[in-house]
Amino acid sequence: MTVEVISVGTELLLGNIVNTNARFLAEKCALLGLTMYNQVVVGDNEERLKDAVYTAVGRSDIVILTGGLGPTEDDLTKETCAKVMETALVEDPHTKERIQEYFKNSTFKKITDNNWKQAMVPQGAMVLDNDNGTAPGLIIEKYGKHLILLPGPPGEMIPLFNGQVEPYLAKMRPELIVSKMVKICGIGESQVEDRLLDLIDSQTNPTIATYAKTGEVHVRVTASAPDRETADKLIRPVVKEIKKRLGICVYSTKDEETLEMAVVRLLKKYELTVATAESCTGGLVAGRIVNVPGASDVFREGFVTYSNKAKRKHLDVSKNTLKKYGAVSKETAKEMAIGGAFATDSDLCVAITGLAGPDGGTEEKPVGLVYMACCLGGKVTVEKYQFKGNRQKIREQSVVRALDLVRRTILENYS
């Protein structure tokens, strides 16, 4: 079956907000085995929206619309879809009651007249309760087509889709679609593809697709089968072969596990504590680690030593080292890591120093040059990188590589 997404909102056309809903829905529909040929963004204009819905209904089996379900005059999605599908709007007592209850338990207890607009639904539509807002989701089935109307805020749309729309769409497929993600760090997308090229070229079921992320590559293995057990049997040997070929570069095969979660998992497994000593990344590595629930069991302390004075004071970096080699050097990174581990009595310390730019680079030390070091049990590993991109990109790449350095250091010493 074919599906089309229509994102409604002038703010999307103006670039005021990023259209994350379309990306989320595209990924979800792909996993459900639905074919998506078109995505459309339409402003808050009834005629243009009506034209977009007419076109979508004419060429797709399922049309998913996000946004335009609010209480204001420029929220036109529901009204426009009702006209296209030649369906009257009627008051839904259940939704009206939920709106009353919502305001009763909110800071803004007064209900204005326009809020009752959200209790009007296309006659015969399936109403989807929205536990995170006042606008319900709606499903209109008519003329062999399926129109799915969802609220625009991701905090409302995502849980509504996951809880009610995904099961509805899954019933339309005779077969189950199951995916497994292999998450990779330390090599680029082209290298991953090169090592897996014969698998990719010969794919039928399951299929293999690579996705480039900042500092990472994700490989999704997807199988179609009558049931989950059969799908898992198809996926398992492919994932095993990918892990065999990529080895230590694979940090997880769990969709929900991030790189920092994998690092914290390893630290806990081997009962290790960690500290961070950061210069150009300004605490971003520490921030990623403490985002993980339970990180307090392994994370000791984080230093942001942006100046040379701070590096000397908190990490005991030698004055002579800074003078002879400079703040951005393998020697300084090494002393930062050793100093951080000693100062916090941690088993492990990762240190980062570099030039994030846009200024400060020289021919000898260009912008993007980053040194990082990892000290574990007195043994120090130092790595040098030359990153490309703007200041933010350089810092983001540095954070990923630093977390991966911690992960690899643990594995190389304990597994």
Side-chain angles (χ1 to χ4, degrees), residues 329-331 333-334 371-374 380-384 405:
S329 63
K330 64 179 181 181
E331 291 80 9
K334 180 178 180 179
Y371 288 96
M372 52 190 72
C374 190
V380 185
T381 301
V382 183
E383 295 187 350
K384 174 185 177 182
L405 177 58

Side-chain angles (χ1 to χ4, degrees), residues 275-290 299 301-308 310-311 314-315 327 332-333 336-337 340 349-354 370-373 395-396 398-400 402-403:
T276 57
E278 304 178 61
S279 184
C280 63
T281 47
L284 292 176
V285 177
R288 288 275 292 266
I289 293 173
V290 300
F299 184 71
E301 194 170 348
F303 296 99
V304 178
T305 54
Y306 209 63
S307 66
N308 284 355
K311 290 178 179 66
H314 298 290
L315 303 173
T332 296
M336 287 172 67
C349 180
V350 62
I352 310 99
T353 180
V370 177
Y371 288 96
M372 52 190 72
R395 296 174 79 216
E396 288 175 351
S398 298
V399 171
V400 172
L403 289 169

Side-chain angles (χ1 to χ4, degrees), residues 4 27 79 82 138 144 325 348:
E4 182 163 339
E27 289 183 346
E79 292 78 5
L138 299 163
Y325 301 105
L348 184 151

